[in-house]
Amino acid sequence: MLRHLVVGAVAVLAASAGVGALAPSAGAAPTVGIRVDAGTSVGTVPSSGVGLNTGYGDEHMGDAKVTSLMKAAGVRQLRYPGGSGADDYHWKTHTYGDGSGWIPSNTDFDHFMATAKKVGAQPILTANYGSGTPQEAADWVKYANVDKGYGVKYWEIGNEVYGNGHYGNGKGWETDNHADKSPKEYGKNLVAYAKAMKAVDPKVKIGAVLTTPGFWPDAEKAPGDSADWNNTVLSIAGRSIDFVIVHWYPGGTTTADLLNTPSRITGVRSSLRSLIAKYTGANAASVEIAVTETDGVGSPALTSQAAALFAPDTYMTWFEQGATHVDWWNLHNGTSEAPTTVHGQTDYRDGGVLSAGTCAGGKCQPRRDTPFPTYWGIRSLTALAQPGDTMVKSSSGNSSVTVHAVRNSNGGLNVMLTNKNPQNAAQVSLSYAGFTPAAGAVTTVSYAQGDTALTTAQRGTAGAQTLPPYSITTLQLKPASGTASADKPSPAPTPTAPTPVVSASGTIGTRAQGEFGAPVGQPTPSSSTSGPLASTGVSKAVTYSALGGLLVIAVGGVLVLRGRRRRASHGK
């Protein structure tokens, strides 16, 4: 990922459009019905699922306050050494590019590992494909796992390698010094990387960079190609890899667009699973899906409340669909873009979950390391689930309220409810199968617009709740006295046919693509999530086509090029 910025009137116009599009109609909304089937499992919360990106340019990632905040937020995985910067970074010398650029001395690999240890997070590392070699990567494995005993398991081979200019008439954002930039060449080199790295430590897991199904350049074929990126790469390297990597930047022209995007994840997962089954042979069931970058870029909300609501819904939906890692972009990021106002709240247009303390457009962010709402959105997950808990089927009668539910190790049931309406409270009624909740007031953990922390209170009942506007509320339910806790949830039925994803020839899916001539598409939903039982579990999910997420960036953005920001805290 290479950070892009939307500046000037375009950003203001986009934010204004987002507000206008979400203005609710007058009158009391009907009660929303929520159904929780505590007896039907949709998977287990992954051990290192809640992840966060870090970068070699972030000199404050190891500060005591920062590591404490990450730990409190339940961060279980840290990605390093950065997005697009990883394809320029040389770990032995702690340099990037030709070595002339400035990098903080306290962000080398060993310092990063010390940070991960403090947080209690598993590392996931991106080997340098763009300007590195299989031997350089193998040497990193040796240093990490043989010499130092760090036991680093997950290794990505390159960042957004498909952004190397092979598509888009040679214009790209990702460093790739190979003469041949085709998917065929990446597939061949991926096999070489895997062979060299596993020769040092057979236990490491190797990840292949794929295009996100439904987002450009998915399904594209450049001159000379016989197939698209994903089919070509996996046909060559499918039996040499352990996980596949996608980045999830769905964006949206309004905040409502952004908040509806998790419903599209089912189709993306289905396409990925079909590819994995086709090319990875007997190991298909064990090949994991890792979403190593995501946030609200390409929408009006990056730090404001809509992005906070988007975060836990995105994490949980991906987990329910079988992803084992989801890494938010970013810890600190910074921006040269002036703040905007979204639904009465300042949005600092910064991809970090913690303030970088920078100023732009004559306005300054809060003091460095102040948590943005996105931080609290992610931290809300700690009230819902812990690694190893069982996710169970749940559904909402209206897409304005989303739901996720988890059976915990103590036999209780936690239910996260998100009210996506920015102005009106939502009345919800809840019903349960496979679990009988205790009577009386329940413990809730909530985060509403304007809050500066999570709030724990006794509020409502297990059967009825009032959700504040633009809020996340988690009910922590105990079983009724004298009743046995529910039996171990049974797995949900496996879908009999893949959920299709509409061809993405007109859409874009990373921060960079709009700057390099990639076509821009509009969302073309095949149906609506409004109406009865828009499901958030594994069931009859509504199918959507891809969203042209970076419309605003393509219309009026500017690119901050690699290395121009000397202290770019996102790691270039």
Side-chain angles (χ1 to χ4, degrees), residues 81-104:
S84 294
D87 279 318
D88 263 334
Y89 180 70
H90 301 286
W91 72 271
K92 283 185 181 180
T93 56
H94 188 49
T95 59
Y96 75 96
D98 62 5
S100 61
W102 178 87
I103 296 181

Side-chain angles (χ1 to χ4, degrees), residues 50 107 130-131 144 223 247 273 303 454:
V50 178
T107 62
S131 60
H247 290 172
R273 277 292 158 204
T303 68
L454 303 184

Side-chain angles (χ1 to χ4, degrees), residues 116-286:
K117 184 177 181 180
K118 290 178 186 176
V119 175
Q122 169 184 272
I124 181 169
L125 303 181
T126 306
N128 182 345
Y129 176 81
S131 60
T133 64
Q135 187 60 54
E136 181 182 33
D139 289 345
W140 200 357
V141 173
K142 179 178 182 300
Y143 180 79
N145 293 355
V146 179
D147 299 344
K148 302 293 288 189
Y150 290 141
V152 178
K153 180 186 288 188
Y154 290 92
W155 299 77
E156 301 178 62
I157 309 304
N159 184 54
E160 293 167 352
V161 184
Y162 49 79
N164 60 10
H166 183 69
Y167 307 104
N169 298 319
K171 298 178 181 179
W173 63 90
E174 198 74 14
T175 294
D176 185 355
N177 294 339
H178 297 88
D180 183 349
K181 296 175 171 53
S182 68
K184 182 177 180 181
E185 183 70 6
Y186 175 66
K188 291 167 53 181
N189 288 325
L190 179 55
V191 172
Y193 271 77
K195 183 177 180 180
M197 296 165 77
K198 290 193 173 189
V200 176
D201 182 356
K203 295 181 180 180
V204 298
K205 291 182 179 290
I206 302 300
V209 173
L210 299 186
T211 62
T212 305
F215 292 83
W216 190 91
D218 183 51
E220 292 289 314
K221 288 192 290 186
D225 290 347
S226 58
D228 62 15
W229 181 275
N230 290 351
N231 280 280
T232 302
V233 170
L234 291 179
S235 69
I236 297 168
R239 295 176 186 269
S240 298
I241 63 166
D242 305 285
F243 64 104
V244 298
I245 304 150
V246 292
H247 290 172
W248 180 244
Y249 290 119
T253 56
T254 70
T255 51
D257 289 338
L258 177 69
L259 293 176
N260 286 333
T261 58
S263 62
R264 301 184 179 95
I265 290 171
T266 298
V268 175
R269 182 270 306 161
S270 181
S271 293
L272 291 172
R273 277 292 158 204
S274 294
L275 287 164
I276 290 167
K278 183 176 181 180
Y279 292 114
T280 63
N283 294 326
S286 63

Side-chain angles (χ1 to χ4, degrees), residues 12 21 181 293 305 417 460 542:
V12 176
K181 296 175 171 53
E293 290 184 20
Q305 190 72 4
L417 302 167
V542 177

